[in-house]
Amino acid sequence: MLKAPRAINPDAIGPMHCTRERFIDRPRQQMPDRVVHSGAGSRHTFGY
């Protein structure tokens, strides 16, 4: 269980290329609507 991210209630979690799939699977299971796929050159706009 990911206690810290859930406690702060983030709008999004953006794991980068160095984050392994095994870690990415956990937030994807617990907060699927908040996992944003990111990589070099990605742009994300929040708050609109």
Side-chain angles (χ1 to χ4, degrees):
M1 181 193 302
L2 300 171
K3 293 178 183 177
R6 289 177 67 159
I8 62 172
N9 195 28
D11 291 331
I13 298 173
M16 297 297 287
H17 66 89
C18 58
T19 307
R20 302 285 183 230
E21 284 294 319
R22 190 172 187 184
F23 172 78
I24 296 171
D25 286 342
R26 290 201 179 188
R28 201 180 287 151
Q29 291 170 1
Q30 295 180 17
M31 298 185 289
D33 58 325
R34 301 198 182 182
V35 176
V36 178
H37 294 280
S38 294
S42 294
R43 289 183 175 194
H44 304 283
T45 304
F46 299 98
Y48 292 96

